[in-house]
Amino acid sequence: MTTWRRLIASLGLAALVMAGPRPINAAPKPPRGAMPETLVVHRPWPPLVSVRVFIGGGSSLDPPGKEGQTLLGWTSVLRGTKDRSRQQWQAALDAIGAQVEVAVDKSGAMLVADAAADHVEALVRLLAEALQSPRFDPEEVAAQREELLADLQHLADDDGALCDDALGRYLYRGQAVGRPAQGSVASLQAIAPTELAAWHARQVTVSNLWVGFAGAIDAKRAHELVKAAFGGLPNRAAPRAVAVKGVTEGRRLLLVDKPRRGQTQMAVALTTVAASAREFTALLVANAVLGGPFTSRVSRDVRQLRGWAYHAETTLAPGMHTSTWVATLGSATADAVPALELVVKLWEELGRHGVTPAELQFAKNWLLGAHKLSQETAAAELAYQMRGRALGMEPADIAAIPARIAAVDLKTVQRTLKERLRPEHLVAVVTGPARQLRDKLADSLCQFTVETIAADGAPETTTGAGRAVTSKPLAVEATPTTAPGEEPEEPDVDDVDDGADLEPAP
Amino acid sequence: MIARSAVALLALGALVGLVPAGAAEADSVDGTTGSVAQAAAQTRAAQLAAAGVRGIALVEVVPFGPGSAERWRLDNGLQAIVAADDAAGVAAVHIWLKVGSADEGPTKTGLAHLLEHLMFKGTRTRPAGTYDRELEAYGASANAATWVDWTMYHQVVPPAAVPLVLQMEADRFVHLNLTLAGVKSELAVVQNERRETVDSDPDGLVAEHLGRLLHGTGPYGHPVIGWAADLAAHKRDDVMAFYRQRYVPGNAAVVVTGTVEPTAILTEVAKTFGAIAALPAAERPKPTTAAPLATEVRQSVTIEASAARLAVAWPTVPRDHPDAVALELLAEALCGAESSRLDRLLIDDRRLASGVSCQQDGTRLPGAFDIWVTLRPGRKSEEALAAVDAAMAALLGAQPPTAEELNLARVRSTTGLYRQLASADGRADVLGQTWAVCASLADHAAWWQRMAQLTPADVSAAAKRWLGRPGRAVVLANPAPPSVSRKPGARESRQVAAGTP
């Protein structure tokens, strides 16, 4: 076991890439042609090539009652093709020493694979085969469903992950993006293999796919591989993800009961402007002051000075329609409420008083320096570029991000905080022993409306199957994310929401 | 002096592509074979001497990553390892210490890790927070890690910031200044870390039980983060005593990789760390090869989790034992991919598990070969143990590892090495860890060379020698039955209290 002094603070780099000026809700672009867009970041050493395939249209497109369809779909794609059984396909992948991981979020899916340079052609062929001609064998889909159901249960074992997951659903409850990407027991069981085949046919089109290469491969070779492997994709309009709205329901807190835990995990969030908004860059800088690096206000006051948490930081997660500003921390149960109050207070003070000139300069230096350092490897640079492209940013927009950060001035930051930071609408999730926490949270200075559920009910709460064991003063609502019978909007690749979370779990 | 065969190096280069053209001809420092890298290092030695840099001598030059790595020794015993390349555009600076949790005494568990945290609390000339602040101005983020055999501090910075990092590292290496309040708050941080990663984490708890069963009161028998009771009792004086005994030049190496100029780096290391007085280091636990367990030891625990866990460990060998690489290759062959033997059996065929992993510890003292299984909800760890036992019996009997299994494992391992070496930080990790656990940097290449040469018979023989023994540790961790009603805070009767020895 390696124990770390502290968790690496989020650098907000995923956020950086979303800061482009491209207008949201742009008209659908015509199909780009017969080939998927291909990005290449070349580095001659080591002899390794990372391949990323992004497919637009994420879990926010899952129909009500079929939450988890996108995840089940993409993971099932890797379980056999029309020409090869799962075992044969997997054996071919293993034979070249390659790994493939799948990440799905509300806006899309990313397949991330790598292999030694000698094997990249075989890897691309295997990926293309899986993407273009999946078998969706009922037995394999059932087996994959079983794995996802097990993952759902395992989620409850990891308090931090449970807290993050619950926040995503609780913050955006009532919206399509508030649906759980991993589905629920009931929704996963309701998805038929034939539905996956129909979903797949809609999603996999030339204009909805980006392919990226990083490492020991040049652009010419990469384009040749894409042409050979993906040349047969249908060429039609791509689906469109549904919009996300800002959350302004006042302060509320969901307490997820873990009766015997001595440690409490907390996440506090608010929604703010879209990544494409002019003010977003100013908020990035403000986030760096609040909870970015180790010497930021939250880390200093919660961790360094008081020892109240092993990790305490804030992240500004960008979205195309609305961005999410989140603080996360874990404290001993006895310290949890004061720690939460302190974080809320720091947020309120940031909104009231803004940042100092010295903090502004420091935050800009940190963001710009971290951005440069983070681009060291080809795989990291490709990931950065693809996130931006998947959100509709042009290469010039991506390249302009550092200059935009450098140009932010104090006046802009202060004005943006006054106008866009809305701490009166903070939403929190706390996982810990409800018996010890509930009354303290309800009485805390933060003035949250507190709702309590059992840990095993949490994953299903926003889809209607949650189990409210106690409530004070409000019971958890079983909130359908979409009206019964309502279908998602016709998807369009130009309208996807953020892809900031599209990294496979380590 | 290190002297190795040029032929062997070329063979390794062919396997893992680590040796650039022209750099693999030789690596000895005795001057008998010569190479571009060797000549460059000798030239550097002359340049350092001409520039008046005294008290530093070349120890070895090895092909490494996109170029080569040089190891130098200061007169006070501190080592400087530099691997420069043009590709990165960044520099990684690591400080590695041959100090880990295995060096802690009874009741002092967790001290090495606590000290690692406290090293960020400032010096006489740099108050708390200064270290982080200086690095963050460059966009860098400093961190550290503690393991049974070592402690390391690492940061990735722009090349221009390397001199500043070295100055700050040398400063805190000798001038750590701890206040009572600083120790108190950081101790609370570590206690939070323990609650988060062990007491509230089913896998962390199982790991702690397994380590204690396997190693007893030996150097690896307690958790790196320490027992909760020991942690609570640590005082500033304990930390400072440990610091003074263990943070001495003879126990430390500075590792710098990336876009740097080696002569300038070595000059800076000599200027900063070279001024530190040589001091004797406290004695470390002695390596042995004796397996401590003669019979199986087994523990059943109840965990607050959705699914059961199984952990099985056989005492095996230290990293420098000839069988270590065979056992590591076997671990990769058994559990390294979805089509590997134990994955297929436990996840696909029997549908018992949602995850399985195997590993051979790469430790300085005798380690272990572990198999970990996360079961599917509703399945018992005893079921997994029966399946694992059957699979291991077959492995040691009628179904030994095949050439195909081992070849695939080699390919995966090689790809994994490429991933690690892609970044300057990853390259510094490899060099630092090799130095901390092995005799010389050349052991890294030798390891991969040995892996390339292993036959199924070699691996099978190693498996029989170490995994066919009765002595092993087994932790069967099952969730509490859902029907059992418990009061909040109640502890299962068979559950060992977390965080206590």
Side-chain angles (χ1 to χ4, degrees):
Chain A
M1 180 182 72
T2 298
T3 57
W4 295 86
R5 180 172 74 102
R6 48 199 168 184
L7 297 178
I8 296 173
S10 166
L11 298 180
L13 293 174
L16 289 179
V17 84
M18 311 306 176
R22 185 183 179 80
I24 60 171
N25 296 322
K29 284 201 299 187
R32 288 185 296 263
M35 296 302 303
E37 181 167 330
T38 304
L39 290 81
V40 184
V41 178
H42 176 65
R43 300 270 206 288
W45 200 92
L48 182 74
V49 178
S50 171
V51 181
R52 284 175 173 252
V53 182
F54 174 83
I55 312 105
S59 61
S60 65
L61 293 179
D62 292 347
K66 301 290 171 76
E67 291 85 1
Q69 176 180 276
T70 303
L71 180 62
L72 180 60
W74 288 121
T75 48
S76 295
V77 154
L78 303 180
R79 297 187 73 109
T81 69
K82 291 197 165 49
D83 295 330
R84 285 187 244 221
S85 68
R86 178 179 64 82
Q87 290 84 355
Q88 289 169 327
W89 189 87
Q90 189 63 49
L93 191 76
D94 288 347
I96 58 173
Q99 288 181 350
V100 181
E101 293 171 327
V102 180
V104 168
D105 80 356
K106 56 195 172 190
S107 66
M110 188 83 82
L111 271 61
V112 182
D114 66 11
D118 291 347
H119 300 306
V120 67
E121 184 174 347
L123 174 61
V124 172
R125 273 206 309 266
L126 283 166
L127 289 175
E129 181 183 328
L131 281 167
Q132 293 177 89
S133 56
R135 186 178 282 196
F136 291 127
D137 177 85
E139 277 188 27
E140 289 295 341
V141 171
Q144 183 59 40
R145 188 194 334 267
E146 205 178 312
E147 288 191 14
L148 295 182
L149 290 171
D151 290 346
L152 263 184
Q153 289 202 260
H154 290 323
L155 179 68
D157 295 349
D158 182 338
D159 293 0
L162 182 66
C163 190
D164 292 346
D165 176 73
L167 178 73
R169 288 178 290 111
Y170 186 61
L171 176 65
Y172 289 109
R173 68 179 178 182
Q175 300 192 48
V177 292
R179 296 174 192 158
Q182 75 275 28
S184 66
V185 174
S187 69
L188 285 169
Q189 286 171 339
I191 301 164
T194 50
E195 291 174 300
L196 294 181
W199 158 85
H200 174 266
R202 288 194 302 271
Q203 296 299 126
V204 180
T205 71
V206 166
S207 60
N208 200 30
L209 210 82
W210 284 260
V211 184
F213 294 84
I217 184 169
D218 61 31
K220 181 169 179 285
R221 176 78 177 131
H223 283 95
E224 286 170 356
L225 290 177
V226 171
K227 188 175 178 185
F230 293 99
L233 283 174
N235 187 1
R236 60 169 179 268
R240 176 163 55 100
V242 292
V244 186
K245 292 179 295 211
V247 176
T248 53
E249 300 174 34
R251 288 190 178 179
R252 52 194 166 92
L253 184 149
L254 181 68
L255 174 55
V256 182
D257 188 19
K258 302 281 279 193
R260 297 195 297 165
R261 289 286 200 258
Q263 189 78 350
T264 294
Q265 296 295 325
M266 294 167 279
V268 195
L270 51 80
T271 58
T272 186
V273 300
S276 54
R278 194 167 40 85
E279 303 102 313
F280 186 81
T281 312
L283 292 178
L284 266 183
V285 174
N287 175 64
V289 172
L290 178 66
F294 294 141
T295 61
S296 62
R297 294 179 185 182
V298 166
S299 180
R300 181 196 62 208
D301 286 9
V302 176
R303 180 189 152 126
Q304 316 291 349
L305 295 180
R306 293 174 175 81
W308 277 349
Y310 172 49
H311 69 95
E313 62 261 328
T314 65
T315 307
L316 182 60
M320 188 159 273
H321 304 98
T322 184
S323 300
T324 311
W325 201 349
V326 192
T328 53
L329 64 159
S331 294
T333 300
D335 297 328
V337 176
L340 183 67
E341 287 176 338
L342 179 54
V343 168
V344 170
K345 183 180 154 210
L346 290 169
W347 227 326
E348 290 170 339
E349 285 177 354
L350 182 71
R352 250 192 322 269
H353 306 300
V355 306
T356 67
E359 285 178 322
L360 172 70
Q361 192 54 52
F362 186 82
K364 286 164 64 173
N365 288 346
W366 179 71
L367 283 166
L368 292 168
H371 171 66
K372 198 170 178 184
L373 292 172
S374 73
Q375 305 292 292
E376 177 199 353
T377 66
E381 187 177 338
L382 175 68
Y384 176 80
Q385 298 286 341
M386 283 194 78
R387 283 195 295 265
R389 297 295 289 127
L391 287 160
M393 291 176 68
E394 297 299 326
D397 298 334
I398 299 170
I401 290 168
R404 215 171 289 135
I405 291 171
V408 170
D409 59 25
L410 189 64
K411 193 176 162 189
T412 305
V413 173
Q414 314 296 48
R415 188 187 64 237
T416 303
L417 286 171
K418 292 271 186 215
E419 294 173 357
R420 302 298 188 183
L421 175 56
R422 306 285 304 277
E424 67 271 28
H425 297 301
L426 282 171
V427 175
V429 171
V430 174
T431 61
R435 193 176 167 205
Q436 296 172 51
L437 289 167
R438 189 175 49 239
D439 291 347
K440 289 179 185 169
L441 286 168
D443 296 339
S444 85
L445 302 173
C446 302
Q447 298 183 309
F448 284 109
T449 298
V450 179
E451 308 169 40
T452 309
I453 62 168
D456 59 358
E460 297 180 8
T461 300
T462 54
T463 60
R467 181 159 66 88
V469 291
T470 57
S471 65
K472 178 186 179 177
L474 291 176
V476 171
E477 294 173 35
T479 313
T481 52
T482 314
E486 178 184 335
E487 289 296 325
E489 294 178 49
E490 187 61 26
D492 183 294
V493 73
D494 289 325
D495 199 23
V496 292
D497 192 64
D498 68 73
D501 300 331
L502 275 178
E503 291 301 312
Chain B
M1 290 294 181
I2 306 299
R4 287 189 287 115
S5 150
V7 173
L9 278 171
L10 286 168
L12 174 68
L15 169 68
V16 295
L18 298 178
V19 184
E25 294 168 2
D27 69 320
S28 69
V29 295
D30 57 9
T32 56
T33 46
S35 71
V36 173
Q38 175 64 34
Q42 297 290 7
T43 302
R44 195 174 341 281
Q47 288 171 340
L48 289 167
V53 180
R54 301 279 182 261
I56 185 167
L58 182 63
V59 180
E60 62 177 327
V61 184
V62 298
F64 181 76
S68 60
E70 299 171 10
R71 181 161 65 100
W72 299 70
R73 186 183 184 282
L74 272 58
D75 280 354
N76 61 12
L78 184 127
Q79 313 269 311
I81 298 167
V82 185
D85 60 73
D86 298 329
V90 303
V93 183
H94 288 203
I95 308 298
W96 284 77
L97 289 132
K98 291 182 176 178
V99 180
S101 61
D103 299 291
E104 298 159 346
T107 76
K108 300 296 180 191
T109 66
L111 209 47
H113 175 251
L114 176 61
L115 173 57
E116 173 227 293
H117 275 243
L118 290 167
M119 287 291 284
F120 293 84
K121 285 294 185 183
T123 67
R124 288 173 212 156
T125 54
R126 290 183 172 86
T130 310
Y131 181 90
D132 282 326
R133 200 76 179 164
E134 297 254 16
L135 290 174
E136 287 168 2
Y138 288 96
S141 180
N143 218 316
T146 306
W147 179 233
V148 293
D149 291 327
W150 46 256
T151 304
M152 59 88 82
Y153 300 84
H154 65 116
Q155 43 269 309
V156 176
V157 295
V162 173
L164 170 69
V165 175
L166 292 173
Q167 287 161 25
M168 291 199 299
E169 290 290 4
D171 181 29
R172 68 176 177 173
F173 195 85
V174 283
H175 295 134
L176 182 63
N177 187 31
L178 297 180
T179 64
L180 286 174
V183 173
K184 187 181 173 190
S185 67
E186 201 59 32
L187 182 56
V189 169
V190 173
Q191 288 170 319
N192 272 301
E193 182 182 353
R194 189 192 149 85
R195 278 190 295 271
E196 198 158 310
T197 60
V198 180
D199 302 336
S200 299
D201 181 343
D203 295 312
L205 275 175
V206 171
E208 201 164 272
H209 290 306
L210 185 72
R212 191 176 46 169
L213 279 184
L214 188 66
H215 298 293
T217 57
Y220 294 161
H222 59 271
V224 171
I225 201 165
W227 300 116
D230 289 351
L231 271 183
H234 289 330
K235 300 285 185 285
R236 181 177 62 173
D237 288 351
D238 300 325
V239 178
M240 289 307 295
F242 193 81
Y243 169 68
R244 292 194 187 98
Q245 287 170 0
R246 305 287 177 173
Y247 281 46
V248 297
N251 265 355
V254 176
V255 183
V256 182
T257 60
T259 312
V260 294
E261 204 293 294
T263 306
I265 296 298
L266 293 166
T267 302
E268 194 64 34
V269 171
K271 190 168 86 183
T272 51
F273 284 88
I276 299 170
L279 291 168
E283 197 173 339
R284 305 197 78 188
K286 294 277 189 296
T288 66
T289 52
L293 288 179
T295 58
E296 180 185 291
V297 287
R298 184 180 292 205
Q299 185 169 10
S300 296
V301 296
T302 302
I303 52 175
E304 191 176 2
S306 62
R309 270 79 166 169
L310 167 72
V312 187
W314 290 263
T316 56
V317 296
R319 168 85 178 183
D320 61 1
H321 190 281
D323 282 339
V325 64
L327 292 169
E328 186 170 296
L329 187 62
L330 177 65
E332 180 64 38
L334 289 178
C335 302
E338 285 188 28
S339 63
S340 54
R341 191 184 288 212
L342 282 183
D343 281 68
R344 269 202 332 263
L345 172 74
L346 296 169
I347 297 174
D348 293 341
D349 299 346
R350 302 284 302 277
R351 302 223 168 161
L352 270 175
S354 58
V356 55
S357 65
C358 310
Q359 70 166 14
Q360 161 64 26
D361 295 341
T363 43
R364 188 180 70 89
L365 305 173
F369 185 98
D370 306 342
I371 297 177
W372 287 75
V373 183
T374 303
L375 283 97
R376 295 195 179 200
R379 307 306 293 258
K380 291 280 188 190
S381 56
E382 288 80 1
E383 297 177 81
L385 180 61
V388 166
D389 281 346
M392 295 306 285
L395 180 84
L396 301 175
Q399 297 167 24
T402 66
E404 186 186 6
E405 282 180 310
L406 298 182
N407 284 336
L408 292 179
R410 265 188 283 260
V411 171
R412 289 195 299 270
S413 297
T414 305
T415 308
L417 179 63
Y418 288 153
R419 285 186 203 111
Q420 192 171 18
L421 296 182
S423 69
D425 198 47
R427 294 195 286 280
D429 261 341
V430 169
L431 291 169
Q433 198 159 176
T434 301
W435 171 80
V437 177
C438 306
S440 86
L441 300 184
D443 288 346
H444 174 67
W447 173 274
W448 288 92
Q449 180 189 345
R450 170 85 176 128
M451 184 179 281
Q453 294 166 342
L454 283 171
T455 65
D458 295 332
V459 176
S460 189
K464 285 177 180 167
R465 265 193 294 279
W466 300 103
L467 310 184
R469 298 180 172 201
R472 65 175 184 175
V474 178
V475 176
L476 297 153
N478 290 304
S483 58
V484 175
S485 174
R486 294 179 301 250
K487 291 179 181 175
R491 193 176 290 285
E492 295 297 324
S493 59
R494 286 199 301 165
Q495 185 179 26
V496 176
T500 54

